[in-house]
Amino acid sequence: MNLKIFNSKDFPAYLPKLNALYDDLFSGGKGFRSKLVQMVSDPIALPQETQHLLCQTIEFIHNASLLHDDLIDGSHLRRGKPAAWTKYTPEYAVLAGDYLLARVMVNLSGFGNIKLVQFTSETISDLLEGEWLQDSVVGDFFVGLDQLDRIHNLKTASLFKWCLRAPFIAAENYDENLHRTLDEMGTILGQLFQRSDDLLDYDIRNDEGKAILGDLKSGYLNSFGAFISKDMNRAQIDQMVKSHDLNEFYKSFSSDSELGQKLFKTKVEEFDQINTKMIELYSHHLVELEKQLKKPDLIKALKPLTEILYWRRKPKS
Amino acid sequence: MSRYVTLKKNDPLFNQYLWGICDIANHTALPMSTLNVGSPEETITFEIVENSSIEKPTQSRVLLNLIKIKKLYLVLVPFLYVAIKNYVDDRFFDPLSFALSLIAMLAIFIGFNIRNDVIDHISGYDRVNINHNKPLLKGWVNTHFASRLSNFFIGLALLISLPIVYRQREEGRVIIVVTILLFLGKLLTKNSYKNHRWGEIIFFVLSGPGVVSGYQVALGAGIDTEVLAFGILWAWSIQFLVHLNNFSHLLTSAQAGIKNTMTRYGFDGAKKIIIYWWIIFVFLWALYHYFYSSVFWGWFTTAILIFWSIPTVIKVDQIQSPLGSDTRMIKKIGYRNFLLMTTLVIIEFTWYWLTKNSWTP
């Protein structure tokens, strides 16, 4: 199903600037989250209208978070274009984000499922808590991976959990065990997505050409950074923090850059190993889900997600 | 066999897996931790690992870890205090009961420490507030064995207390009060990991006044205000460690709905409580020394504590995040404060012991 998430008719015509901002914002996005909603919704035969509502909801929440995120982080580019706050002023970016979240509540309350409204509100709360906490650890180069996992569970995984659970809530399936399993799966998908995204910062599987060491330079030790720094001494961490490029970064492992690169690669392999274990756990939860739902189509659709999200490759057919 | 097994509470295998008594040849079932903190006691995913793949320290190290050897000084220092105080006061009436009370106290302390780990494991607390060094989570020992070991030590403590009660009848009353408080604590928390508020109060009474009263009565010296004052001082400092520990995982505890003083007052409030708690401790320390110690040691040790406390207070006040490395750092700094205080107690009371009758309060 092809969905047009954003339609200018959804927003007041007397606010042309708002519509222009959304035009810029929504064009170019991959819409992965709404695709995930569809992956779950189709096998459980959720009506198209409801699917559209859910897809719109998740994209509105995600894009609202991007509007606010870019302003907080001071990022000038979003999807290769000027970030909204630079083009339309920070005030408009904040208001546009708030407006999207307000539309989410208007649309969902119109749908009439109070549990869905509650779950969505909790997801937005988690997202904001995660953003807040992430900001509070900027400049902390001794933060642990387990601590970052908690932040990412709120900030990133909350939306994945929503994508997996919301279609069932909309279909009025509130089975606790089912939702617990989906929660665990959503957490894993969110963590894998975040960790893979964090590896891009170190030019690992960076086919998108994301800026190198961007997180580190802005004072944020991401999940991979936390993983490698746990075995480093103070001097090594100092070297890591002041690195301007990867060659300087490798020197935090060894003064010999070549050896440093080799040690760095070993660390990447170790990081991949712990995430492979997480992928195995995801597969286990898929089996549990199959037992609970007996929906092979759904399992088939969800199975390749770890390939896409962590390894960033197309799944083998 | 699959590497993972998910079991619900009503599954017949649930308890077998959780207690580590499941019949899986050469394998161990380890409960996985979860970031979804809603109800970790309802459904658990276990990782089935080969016994040979578990990196296990030597048996003696596992045992020392399980009995929390590093924390034994929490009952040894009050013992030293009571011994020296009564030696100086010439009230060292029953050395045998006193020595037995130390063994009983160590046994009960070890027994309850292990029991605490078992309860945390069964209730799901250790899967929410992840401590990677817990022997039960690591699969170094199974829960069933730990529980039996705990029972052994508690039983040993009760056995040893019999001759003490025979020799010092008053000790029976202390034991009855302690037992009532323990059962009350268990009742009020309903064996849940979610309500620790009552536990804090009961722990306060037991860890300070309870411990010193037990020693004092065993010695046949009778409880006096001085020993109770020290008990309160000691309990206050231990509670400081408890607050620091709870503060270090304030976020996860709050998310899981765990109720303790730190979660009740939130991040900023908790910081203030930790600061004021320590300031009040220094005040209580000075007060205790004003009434019961030499002028020199009163001024000297209080001055050291004040100077040492200033950076601690500043650092606690400066923490910005309920996550991150700051919370770990504060736990370490607070612990150092506690160790300094303990060292001062030991030095001061050793001096009293060596210079008996040559000073006046």
Side-chain angles (χ1 to χ4, degrees):
Chain A
M1 179 177 76
N2 278 322
L3 281 177
K4 185 164 170 52
I5 296 299
F6 164 67
N7 190 328
S8 58
K9 285 175 193 163
D10 293 334
F11 301 103
Y14 49 83
L15 296 175
K17 213 170 188 177
L18 188 70
N19 276 297
L21 187 152
Y22 289 148
D23 264 333
D24 284 342
L25 182 69
F26 284 95
S27 60
K30 290 189 285 286
F32 177 78
R33 288 159 191 81
S34 54
K35 283 178 192 155
L36 183 54
V37 168
Q38 287 175 275
M39 274 182 209
V40 180
S41 302
D42 278 338
I44 62 170
L46 204 64
Q48 293 296 313
E49 218 173 283
T50 311
Q51 285 196 37
H52 187 268
L53 171 72
L54 297 183
C55 291
Q56 199 178 42
T57 298
I58 195 64
E59 289 301 328
F60 279 12
I61 297 171
H62 175 57
N63 282 284
S65 78
L66 295 182
L67 283 171
H68 291 165
D69 216 15
D70 287 342
L71 177 59
I72 293 166
D73 298 344
S75 307
H76 288 79
L77 287 175
R78 169 61 57 188
R79 292 164 183 157
K81 291 185 291 187
W85 69 275
T86 61
K87 190 172 172 184
Y88 297 93
T89 75
E91 290 84 351
Y92 276 124
V94 171
L95 290 173
D98 291 348
Y99 194 82
L100 281 178
L101 295 178
R103 287 308 309 177
V104 163
M105 287 305 139
V106 170
N107 295 347
L108 284 185
S109 51
F111 180 66
N113 182 330
I114 192 69
K115 291 201 175 181
L116 187 59
V117 176
Q118 188 190 354
F119 176 51
T120 307
S121 309
E122 283 168 3
T123 301
I124 296 170
S125 299
D126 283 351
L127 184 73
L128 294 175
E129 275 183 39
E131 288 282 358
W132 195 285
L133 286 167
Q134 180 167 306
D135 197 54
S136 76
V137 296
V138 169
D140 183 351
F141 294 103
F142 298 91
V143 66
L145 179 60
D146 53 338
Q147 290 167 318
L148 289 179
D149 279 346
R150 294 191 184 279
I151 293 176
H152 297 152
N153 188 42
L154 291 167
K155 190 188 140 227
T156 314
S158 58
L159 294 188
F160 283 88
K161 286 189 249 187
W162 191 93
C163 294
L164 297 177
R165 289 179 60 190
F168 288 99
I169 296 175
E172 297 184 9
N173 181 343
Y174 307 122
D175 182 80
E176 273 186 36
N177 287 319
L178 168 71
H179 284 277
R180 209 172 281 139
T181 307
L182 294 170
D183 254 346
E184 294 295 333
M185 288 170 63
T187 295
I188 294 173
L189 290 179
Q191 303 279 51
L192 290 172
F193 172 78
Q194 187 63 57
R195 288 181 178 192
S196 174
D197 195 58
D198 290 347
L199 279 169
L200 301 180
D201 214 43
Y202 298 87
D203 210 22
I204 304 297
R205 298 187 276 275
N206 188 10
D207 299 331
E208 298 169 22
K210 192 185 165 188
I212 309 297
L213 300 184
D215 287 343
L216 202 59
K217 283 176 195 166
S218 57
Y220 179 61
L221 192 71
N222 68 27
S223 60
F224 183 63
F227 176 75
I228 52 178
S229 69
K230 81 174 189 302
D231 298 323
M232 285 181 171
N233 58 36
R234 184 84 197 219
Q236 285 178 300
I237 291 175
D238 283 347
Q239 169 66 35
M240 182 176 88
V241 170
K242 63 184 185 192
S243 304
H244 291 99
D245 56 44
L246 280 175
N247 278 327
E248 283 182 25
F249 179 77
Y250 297 145
K251 285 182 183 162
S252 52
F253 293 92
S254 164
S255 51
D256 175 359
S257 182
E258 209 169 301
L259 178 64
Q261 191 173 0
K262 213 172 165 185
L263 292 170
F264 168 76
K265 281 184 179 165
T266 313
K267 283 285 166 194
V268 174
E269 283 166 17
E270 285 173 20
F271 193 61
D272 282 344
Q273 258 173 26
I274 61 164
N275 292 317
T276 304
K277 195 175 166 184
M278 213 190 275
I279 291 169
E280 286 169 11
L281 184 59
Y282 176 81
S283 302
H284 163 76
H285 287 308
L286 265 184
V287 175
E288 290 295 309
L289 191 68
E290 194 171 10
K291 278 188 219 162
Q292 291 170 36
L293 282 175
K294 312 263 187 288
K295 300 263 181 210
D297 288 355
L298 177 62
I299 308 303
K300 200 178 162 191
L302 296 179
K303 202 168 185 176
L305 288 177
T306 51
E307 281 285 301
I308 300 166
L309 291 175
Y310 186 72
W311 299 109
R312 296 193 172 250
R313 60 192 176 207
K314 281 186 183 166
K316 292 163 203 147
S317 54
Chain B
M1 178 184 280
S2 160
R3 196 175 161 182
Y4 299 99
V5 175
T6 298
L7 295 171
K8 288 194 277 277
K9 202 171 189 172
N10 56 8
D11 193 302
L13 288 173
F14 183 90
N15 275 326
Q16 286 185 32
Y17 272 68
L18 194 54
W19 285 89
I21 47 173
C22 46
D23 188 21
I24 329 169
N26 302 321
H27 286 74
T28 299
L30 300 179
M32 307 276 299
S33 51
T34 177
L35 290 170
N36 296 306
V37 291
S39 49
E41 69 270 49
E42 295 298 327
T43 303
I44 303 175
T45 298
F46 295 88
E47 187 183 7
I48 311 297
V49 292
E50 268 185 50
N51 290 342
S52 56
S53 69
I54 298 174
E55 287 174 25
K56 213 173 177 178
T58 58
Q59 276 190 329
S60 55
R61 285 197 68 175
V62 173
L63 194 66
L64 293 180
N65 191 320
L66 198 63
I67 67 174
K68 296 191 176 62
I69 186 91
K70 288 179 188 166
K71 288 186 180 172
L72 288 187
Y73 69 91
L74 293 179
V75 289
L76 287 172
V77 174
F79 177 81
L80 182 81
Y81 162 80
V82 172
I84 293 174
K85 174 200 174 299
N86 287 291
Y87 169 72
V88 171
D89 292 348
D90 286 324
R91 290 166 62 135
F92 216 91
F93 299 127
D94 189 347
L96 178 65
S97 292
F98 188 52
L100 286 174
S101 74
L102 173 65
I103 301 169
M105 201 67 85
L106 286 172
I108 199 104
F109 184 78
I110 290 168
F112 279 121
N113 265 329
I114 301 173
R115 176 64 44 197
N116 191 44
D117 278 1
V118 171
I119 290 173
D120 281 354
H121 193 67
I122 298 301
S123 69
Y125 183 74
D126 63 355
R127 291 188 293 286
V128 175
N129 283 312
I130 306 155
N131 178 346
H132 295 288
N133 287 322
K134 292 246 178 187
L136 293 179
L137 267 186
K138 290 270 206 181
W140 295 341
V141 285
N142 71 43
T143 319
H144 185 64
F145 171 77
S147 179
R148 282 171 63 182
L149 197 64
S150 157
N151 289 343
F152 167 77
F153 278 110
I154 293 169
L156 182 71
L158 288 173
L159 203 66
I160 295 170
S161 66
L162 289 177
I164 305 174
V165 174
Y166 178 74
R167 291 167 70 90
Q168 300 293 334
R169 298 294 160 95
E170 193 71 13
E171 191 73 31
R173 286 187 201 170
V174 176
I175 292 170
I176 289 169
V177 172
V178 166
T179 311
I180 289 171
L181 283 173
L182 285 172
F183 276 102
L184 204 62
K186 199 167 171 152
L187 212 69
L188 289 168
T189 57
K190 293 171 191 149
N191 239 352
S192 152
Y193 71 92
K194 295 202 172 178
N195 194 343
H196 288 191
R197 223 180 288 163
W198 283 104
E200 282 177 18
I201 295 166
I202 290 167
F203 184 68
F204 183 91
V205 177
L206 292 179
S207 63
V211 169
V212 288
S213 302
Y215 287 138
Q216 183 81 1
V217 172
L219 193 53
I223 299 168
D224 56 39
T225 48
E226 184 180 347
V227 92
L228 280 179
F230 182 84
I232 289 169
L233 189 69
W234 187 247
W236 198 274
S237 65
I238 292 179
Q239 197 63 45
F240 175 69
L241 294 183
V242 173
H243 286 329
L244 278 175
N245 188 48
N246 289 339
F247 181 73
S248 72
H249 36 70
L250 172 72
L251 179 94
T252 41
S253 298
Q255 283 177 336
I258 294 168
K259 288 170 188 161
N260 57 42
T261 306
M262 296 292 103
T263 57
R264 189 180 180 189
Y265 289 96
F267 181 62
D268 287 329
K271 273 184 1 182
K272 278 185 194 146
I273 287 172
I274 286 175
I275 291 171
Y276 289 131
W277 196 272
W278 185 252
I279 290 173
I280 291 170
F281 171 76
V282 177
F283 174 74
L284 290 176
W285 175 276
L287 209 61
Y288 174 86
H289 281 77
Y290 174 75
F291 285 111
Y292 303 114
S293 294
S294 78
V295 176
F296 166 74
W297 282 105
W299 281 107
F300 179 63
T301 55
T302 306
I304 289 178
L305 278 179
I306 289 172
F307 281 118
W308 188 273
S309 302
I310 292 167
T312 305
V313 168
I314 292 170
K315 274 176 183 152
V316 174
D317 190 50
Q318 282 175 342
I319 297 182
Q320 295 294 319
S321 173
L323 267 178
S325 59
D326 282 352
T327 51
R328 285 198 304 258
M329 177 195 71
I330 284 303
K331 203 173 156 184
K332 266 188 205 162
I333 290 173
Y335 192 66
R336 265 185 235 147
N337 278 23
F338 182 84
L339 283 184
L340 172 81
M341 180 275 295
T342 307
T343 311
L344 290 176
V345 169
I346 293 170
I347 294 171
E348 182 184 346
F349 279 83
T350 307
W351 185 83
Y352 294 145
W353 172 47
L354 297 173
T355 60
K356 187 185 175 187
N357 300 329
S358 61
W359 62 276
T360 48

